[in-house]
Amino acid sequence: MVATLRFTLWLAVAVVAAAVLGWLFRAVLTRIAPANAARLLRSAPLSASFGMAVIVFYLLVAILAPTIAPFGEREVVGAQFMPASSEFLLGTDNLGRDMFSRLIFGVRNTVSIAFITTALAFAVGAVLGLLAATVSGWIDQLLSRVVDVLMAIPALIFQLLLLTIVGTSIINMILVIALIDSTRVFRLARAVAMNIVVMDYIEAAKLRGEGLWRLIIREIMPNAAAPLVAEFGLRFCFVFLSISALSFLGLGIQPPTADLGSMVRDNATLITFGEVTPLLPAGAIALLTVAVNFVVDWMLHRASGLKE
Amino acid sequence: MTEAASNKPVLLTIRGLRIEGRSDEKWNEIVKGVDLSLHRGEVLGLIGESGAGKSTLGLAAMGFTRDGCRISGGSIDFDGIDLLTAPEPVRRGLRGKRIAYVAQSAAASFNPAHRLIDQYSEGPVQHGVMSKAEAQRDAMELYRRMRLPNPDEIGFRYPHQVSGGQLQRAMTAMAMACRPDLIIFDEPTTALDVTTQIEVLSAIRDIVAQFDTAAIYITHDLAVVAQMADRIKVLLHGEEVEEADTRTMLSAPREDYTKSLWAVRSFERGAQPALPAADVPVVEMRNIVAAYGPVPVLHNVSFEIHRRRTVAVVGESGSGKSTAARVITGLLPPSSGSVLFEGQPLPADYRQRSKDQLRQAQMIYQMADTALNPKHRIREIIGRPVHFYLGKSGKALTERVRELLHLIELEPDKFIDRLPSELSGGQKQRIGIARALAAEPRFIICDEVTSALDQLVAEGILRLLDRLQTEFDLAYMFITHDLATVKAIADEVVVMKDGRVVEQGPKAEMFAPPHDPYTELLLSSVPEMDPDWLDRLLAERAAGRAGGTVQASER
């Protein structure tokens, strides 16, 4: 009973803190941003400004990781599984490395890899999808059927297969995950663009004699942006999971490089002892995911022109 | 009928109704204190331009508001029930059963995944009025009364398998399913051809009279409302301008605004000087045969359009008039025949035409909503062709865009950085015109440019087009199904039916007898302001005159 009450209390405190953080962040941003951006930011709901605050925080952590972290990423600094103390803020892990420093480096590695992968998947998938819908005919057929074949193979198995063929490295992992994720983006982009290419303004642009590239980038892309942006938020989270899964199987980010996914696994034993430390990397992923989706929701809301 | 109706008990009373809509983060009043009363069996016509609040008011008569709207004051009393305070279940019980609604676009309002008769039965079964079998029998009966072809069988089709006019009648039958006391018709014939419109109008009128149903008939077409309504109420910006019974309103309107509505149809372009004998037409279609895949659409179509001339291409939907435009623009290469531009043959496919050939022929679309990229600002929409064809950029480009905005009578400073969504329908259409002008063409295709607009706005557009033609020596091809527009703007008329040119010639000849029977049907179908027009026309058709012998091609 008391535990439930305390949990509820903490939850309420967390929500209020998040709202206050969002409000403060928005207040600061509107103060320092140029007039145009400030007006836009003022319309952001608290959830979105909270999300932006969290994202900025992660970015800072990722960029400044070596400065913030008290110890090195791979440095063994104490005994195994030491409890939290003033020296080791979150204790040490299964090999005696500082958990806090590992967490900071983990954010840097995982977030940047996930972001690059998602961006790559989107660049390839969206451009090809829009191209297929615009040109139609045999190019569309060819691309769509290739994508069908790729999508027919279970993603994880396919990733394992490709990584076994090309060899394990971070670059290869990024390319492989991006390739497989881009098929999903392709599908979406093509479906969305199909509804746009039949509009009169596209016909008008074609009759004007516009080239294919301009047609796709200037005329179609802005109108397809809303669903693509929403998908980006979702995809970003899935990529996290993919990286963690691959790391777990020993094909992703290789130890001793810090990675949020494998940190959970490495320290899982501690959960048995009632310690929350192994959940912190998972929490870090969850927080970023939520933050990204808050921002994406807002952008989607704006882009779709929904009022109230 | 009017006197008889006013003796009957009052069915609906609206007092001081105020409705607000939310936009730009604040509430704006859409309906500003309107009173309305309706007797049993009476038809009230609500007219006004778009944004006048007529649809909002019509929906409010059901105790309903669209999302983002709220009723902020007044009262709505339907047969002793206060629709504003009644709990939602009571209101829901009324809707569909005692108050029904017929939407503007039946094609968009029917669920495409269910058969007509199943959608018909839904209301009566839901309200517990009939069993499903009874409802189906009843549907066939009403389909017969709405004069739908094969009434016993048509209900088992899906919405896409019947024509637009039939669908609209099926929807009216559906509204009748529970024999409601009140039906709200929201522009039920606006999306239809004139020939189809007649059938829907007479069917609606008969069925409303047969069941003694009261109706609110919302439209912006005065001639239509003159046929349908016992009384007319004119709305402007959410306020009542005046109300009177139909005949009084038509013969002696009191307010200036009403008079201006009545006067709309007066614009007519003067006769043009005769063409020089050896004038080379700007555009000539020579024996065009075209098909969509295996379906032939155009059969041996030829006509020519000269400099400073407007050729109106008239016909119902499916007659091939828009296809003719697609052939000229090169979107649909013909299977034989050729398109000549100032005597020179154009490549059949637009992709093979030179930039200059593309520049010379521009197009203005029917739906300005879909013709302007919603993500581009006016500056870019108009500026792009200027930059693309004429190579202007930077300051010269901005200057030219401002000049074009001046030409279409929009203030540059106010509009140049707006998005299309921030414009009204008429303003959007003006931007469409400016985009076509920006290319400095010789020839412009206007594809039903005024049919989505109110009459006052449409008239403004027609006058603008007329002025621009003289100023820039343009040739127009004007595609329309509205003969009033043809009368206003055309020099020559081409009548098309089923992909063939039925008749063509100068306007004066076309509008004077003798006509081809199909032209006769089209001409006689244009509603007139006379409230007896529909009765007279139906009588004449029954006697085999006024195109009564021609079957309009239902598609």
Side-chain angles (χ1 to χ4, degrees):
Chain A
M1 185 59 206
V2 177
T4 327
L5 209 66
R6 189 180 298 156
F7 177 72
T8 322
L9 190 71
W10 276 114
L11 199 67
V13 168
V15 169
V16 170
V20 169
L21 177 63
W23 187 81
L24 277 178
F25 186 71
R26 189 172 61 185
V28 172
L29 266 190
T30 46
R31 201 59 62 75
I32 58 173
N36 242 341
R39 200 174 48 230
L40 178 71
L41 287 169
R42 213 167 295 134
S43 71
L46 280 183
S47 60
S49 31
F50 168 71
M52 283 189 279
V54 171
I55 292 172
V56 167
F57 174 72
Y58 270 78
L59 281 178
L60 287 178
V61 169
I63 294 165
L64 303 175
T67 333
I68 308 173
F71 298 99
E73 184 182 357
R74 302 159 187 201
E75 219 177 323
V76 177
V77 290
Q80 297 175 4
F81 294 135
M82 279 167 70
S85 64
S86 58
E87 197 189 358
F88 307 115
L89 287 175
L90 297 173
T92 57
D93 70 356
N94 59 335
L95 295 179
R97 295 169 295 193
D98 179 42
M99 201 57 191
F100 181 62
S101 307
R102 297 276 294 168
L103 199 58
I104 289 170
F105 281 104
V107 165
R108 177 192 175 105
N109 297 330
T110 316
V111 171
S112 53
I113 290 173
F115 183 79
I116 293 171
T117 311
T118 322
L120 194 61
F122 263 76
V124 175
V127 167
L128 288 183
L130 297 181
L131 178 77
T134 318
V135 181
S136 69
W138 66 268
I139 293 185
D140 180 25
Q141 283 299 324
L142 182 75
L143 285 170
S144 300
R145 297 301 80 82
V146 168
V147 163
D148 284 349
V149 170
L150 292 185
M151 284 178 84
I153 308 167
L156 186 62
I157 309 279
F158 199 30
Q159 283 164 357
L160 290 177
L161 181 75
L162 287 179
L163 278 175
T164 329
I165 297 171
V166 296
T168 319
S169 74
I170 290 185
I171 303 281
N172 283 346
M173 183 185 67
I174 290 176
L175 292 178
V176 164
I177 300 181
L179 170 75
I180 291 167
D181 266 32
S182 68
T183 57
R184 275 77 177 167
V185 181
F186 173 89
R187 274 274 156 213
L188 178 76
R190 180 174 171 273
V192 173
M194 286 288 210
N195 291 325
I196 299 171
V197 291
V198 295
M199 302 300 263
D200 287 341
Y201 56 84
I202 301 299
E203 187 184 300
K206 280 184 185 166
L207 285 179
R208 201 185 306 141
E210 300 283 9
L212 187 61
W213 183 247
R214 188 180 154 97
L215 214 53
I216 291 177
I217 298 298
R218 289 293 305 145
E219 302 281 343
I220 300 178
M221 185 90 103
N223 292 291
L228 287 178
V229 164
E231 177 75 3
F232 189 93
L234 203 61
R235 250 325 115 199
F236 186 60
C237 310
F238 284 152
V239 167
F240 263 113
L241 297 180
S242 293
I243 293 174
S244 306
L246 286 178
S247 303
F248 182 81
L249 294 170
L251 289 169
I253 301 171
Q254 297 297 312
T257 311
D259 157 57
L260 295 178
S262 26
M263 282 172 73
V264 180
R265 171 181 41 123
D266 291 345
N267 301 297
T269 13
L270 276 184
I271 297 179
T272 345
F273 302 104
E275 268 286 342
V276 292
T277 329
L279 295 180
L280 285 174
I285 298 179
L287 183 62
L288 181 61
T289 310
V290 169
V292 166
N293 277 293
F294 272 154
V295 177
V296 162
D297 272 354
W298 173 52
M299 285 160 80
L300 185 62
H301 190 79
R302 268 175 32 76
S304 61
L306 295 173
K307 300 254 162 82
E308 302 339 307
Chain B
M1 191 161 158
T2 311
E3 290 79 41
S6 55
N7 292 334
K8 290 183 182 169
V10 173
L11 180 68
L12 175 76
T13 318
I14 294 179
R15 286 279 161 264
L17 185 70
R18 293 179 181 277
I19 301 174
E20 294 178 335
R22 195 161 170 81
S23 64
D24 298 336
E25 323 237 310
K26 61 175 190 286
W27 292 98
N28 300 312
E29 233 170 36
I30 307 172
V31 175
K32 302 164 187 165
V34 171
D35 295 339
L36 182 155
S37 68
L38 188 65
H39 300 266
R40 284 186 178 275
E42 187 186 29
V43 180
L44 173 74
L46 274 185
I47 56 173
E49 36 194 296
S50 47
K54 23 186 221 306
S55 290
T56 314
L57 186 59
L59 287 171
M62 308 173 74
F64 180 83
T65 55
R66 292 211 173 98
D67 277 349
C69 293
R70 67 175 184 197
I71 294 174
S72 56
S75 67
I76 304 170
D77 180 285
F78 176 78
D79 206 17
I81 304 164
D82 184 346
L83 288 184
L84 291 186
T85 54
E88 189 58 29
V90 174
R91 283 190 271 180
R92 203 178 300 146
L94 289 176
R95 292 177 193 148
K97 188 177 176 190
R98 296 196 59 200
I99 311 178
Y101 180 75
V102 176
Q104 172 170 3
S105 167
S109 304
F110 270 108
N111 186 334
H114 297 285
R115 294 179 302 184
L116 295 179
I117 205 156
D118 294 331
Q119 299 188 49
Y120 180 99
S121 324
E122 201 181 341
V125 173
Q126 184 85 28
H127 286 294
V129 180
M130 297 178 210
S131 72
K132 181 142 184 161
E134 279 170 343
Q136 294 205 347
R137 264 199 309 281
D138 185 59
M140 292 171 194
E141 170 60 24
L142 277 184
Y143 288 156
R144 184 167 295 112
R145 294 210 197 181
M146 290 301 287
R147 284 173 299 221
L148 282 165
N150 309 325
D152 295 337
E153 174 266 326
I154 194 165
F156 294 94
R157 296 198 205 165
Y158 287 92
H160 68 269
Q161 292 171 318
V162 305
S163 75
Q166 291 169 359
L167 215 50
Q168 201 70 51
R169 276 180 277 170
M171 177 161 252
T172 308
M174 193 161 108
M176 276 290 173
C178 297
R179 307 292 183 270
D181 298 311
L182 170 63
I183 299 190
I184 293 144
F185 293 97
D186 194 351
E187 310 237 12
T189 60
T190 309
L192 304 176
D193 293 323
V194 275
T195 46
T196 327
Q197 171 168 286
I198 298 282
E199 292 158 23
V200 177
L201 286 183
S202 62
I204 288 180
R205 213 176 54 165
D206 290 354
I207 206 154
V208 167
Q210 276 173 26
F211 293 109
D212 199 23
T213 314
I216 295 179
Y217 197 99
I218 300 167
T219 179
H220 64 259
D221 190 332
L222 303 163
V224 165
V225 87
Q227 312 310 315
M228 306 303 286
D230 301 316
R231 254 187 317 140
I232 296 178
K233 185 194 269 302
V234 183
L235 290 178
L236 176 66
H237 305 316
E239 283 172 281
E240 178 182 322
V241 178
E242 65 176 306
E243 183 186 324
D245 64 68
T246 304
R247 275 167 210 281
T248 323
M249 186 68 108
L250 289 174
S251 52
R254 280 187 320 252
E255 302 292 324
D256 286 343
Y257 176 70
T258 320
K259 285 177 193 155
S260 78
L261 279 179
W262 267 226
V264 160
R265 298 177 164 230
S266 58
F267 173 67
E268 193 167 342
R269 181 176 148 83
Q272 297 294 303
L275 287 168
D279 193 61
V280 180
V282 177
V283 169
E284 184 181 351
M285 287 189 88
R286 206 175 267 175
N287 307 323
I288 296 285
V289 179
Y292 287 121
V295 187
V297 206
L298 293 180
H299 311 274
N300 205 16
V301 170
S302 312
F303 55 84
E304 45 194 56
I305 302 167
H306 289 263
R307 198 167 65 90
R308 277 199 174 199
R309 285 287 193 272
T310 302
V311 172
V313 180
V314 193
E316 45 195 282
S317 43
S319 61
K321 52 194 197 309
S322 291
T323 311
R326 290 177 69 84
V327 168
I328 296 180
T329 54
L331 283 168
L332 179 72
S335 41
S336 74
S338 53
V339 179
L340 279 71
F341 190 85
E342 296 183 327
Q344 301 298 315
L346 279 178
D349 191 321
Y350 75 94
R351 276 168 284 221
Q352 275 132 37
R353 293 185 186 173
S354 72
K355 211 165 165 178
D356 202 53
Q357 284 170 328
L358 289 171
R359 179 179 71 80
Q360 296 287 5
Q362 290 293 313
M363 180 134 179
I364 306 171
Y365 293 84
Q366 172 176 12
M367 304 298 295
D369 282 324
T370 59
L372 307 179
N373 193 324
K375 301 286 175 189
H376 290 179
R377 298 194 180 275
I378 304 307
R379 180 193 294 278
E380 175 162 10
I381 293 175
I382 303 180
R384 180 61 191 169
V386 178
H387 174 75
F388 184 74
Y389 291 126
L390 309 166
K392 286 192 177 145
S393 56
K395 236 184 170 144
L397 178 64
T398 311
E399 208 33 60
R400 177 69 184 142
V401 171
R402 296 174 63 89
E403 222 174 277
L404 284 161
L405 281 171
H406 262 302
L407 271 178
I408 53 165
E409 296 152 18
L410 294 180
E411 202 183 306
D413 291 327
K414 242 170 97 185
F415 288 95
I416 197 162
D417 281 318
R418 288 204 194 175
L419 289 170
S421 56
E422 295 162 331
L423 302 178
S424 73
Q427 289 167 344
K428 277 183 211 161
Q429 199 54 282
R430 280 170 192 261
I431 299 296
I433 295 173
R435 179 174 62 185
L437 279 182
E440 301 182 8
R442 303 290 313 276
F443 170 62
I444 296 181
I445 299 174
C446 307
D447 190 355
E448 303 263 13
V449 286
T450 54
S451 56
L453 302 173
D454 296 323
Q455 287 171 27
L456 277 175
V457 183
E459 159 136 324
I461 298 283
L462 292 184
R463 284 184 194 274
L464 174 68
L465 284 170
D466 188 47
R467 202 192 78 214
L468 294 172
Q469 178 167 50
T470 336
E471 219 163 300
F472 297 104
D473 256 3
L474 297 165
Y476 288 150
M477 171 175 169
F478 209 97
I479 300 171
T480 183
H481 65 258
D482 178 15
L483 289 149
T485 312
V486 175
K487 244 179 207 162
I489 201 162
D491 299 309
E492 284 155 48
V493 184
V494 173
V495 181
M496 291 189 69
K497 190 190 184 217
D498 297 336
R500 286 188 176 80
V501 173
V502 179
E503 202 176 357
Q504 59 178 311
K507 175 172 66 170
E509 272 176 35
M510 298 300 295
F511 281 96
H515 304 293
D516 171 274
Y518 180 68
T519 316
E520 172 84 37
L521 174 77
L522 271 186
L523 284 177
S524 65
S525 300
V526 180
E528 289 167 21
M529 296 288 250
D530 177 0
D532 300 320
W533 166 80
L534 185 59
D535 297 317
R536 234 179 24 237
L537 177 76
L538 292 173
E540 283 200 22
R541 291 248 168 111
R545 290 189 302 272
T549 50
V550 191
Q551 262 303 297
S553 48
E554 287 261 18
R555 288 203 184 231

